[in-house]
Amino acid sequence: ASGLAASAVPALARAIAATGPAFTLVLEAVVPVLHFLEPRRFPRCALFGLVLTLAFHLVIGLTPPPSNVSTYGVTTCTRLFFVFPDAAAAAVGEMGRPHTAAGALLCAGMAAA
């Protein structure tokens, strides 16, 4: 199994290096369109845009230096509140109430981070 992993990791790295720039360009073009759509009319597109944005900036934050620009990702993700669907914002607000178990867990996780 170690021989397979030893050959799979470099192959995966080469595949990511080969497709990464094109994938990034497509993602950078599609995500703003998803954010532009009216969330009440297209709730799945709004949610998908939100998830793509968070996942994309998480991956950028996990990228080793010098390509790591996690501060930009944090700044971008805080601006998502302007495009958040109302229901998602209400759900986050509900979880943030410290008197609930979910709220207490969320507050503890944020404090630990």
Side-chain angles (χ1 to χ4, degrees):
S2 64
L4 177 62
S7 64
V9 170
L12 179 62
R14 282 191 300 277
I16 290 171
T19 60
F23 179 75
T24 300
L25 288 173
V26 169
L27 192 64
E28 291 277 3
V30 169
V31 167
V33 173
L34 293 173
H35 288 305
F36 180 76
L37 296 172
E38 173 61 40
R40 292 180 198 274
R41 288 186 59 203
F42 304 100
R44 288 190 178 159
C45 290
L47 182 61
F48 190 57
L50 177 69
V51 169
L52 276 178
T53 300
L54 292 173
F56 181 64
H57 288 287
L58 174 68
V59 170
I60 289 173
L62 294 174
T63 304
S67 299
N68 171 310
V69 284
S70 55
T71 55
Y72 172 73
V74 169
T75 303
T76 301
C77 291
T78 58
R79 292 183 178 139
L80 288 174
F81 285 102
F82 295 109
V83 295
F84 241 40
D86 293 338
V92 169
E94 184 70 29
M95 283 184 58
R97 295 187 180 151
H99 64 273
T100 65
L105 183 61
L106 180 65
C107 292
M110 291 184 341

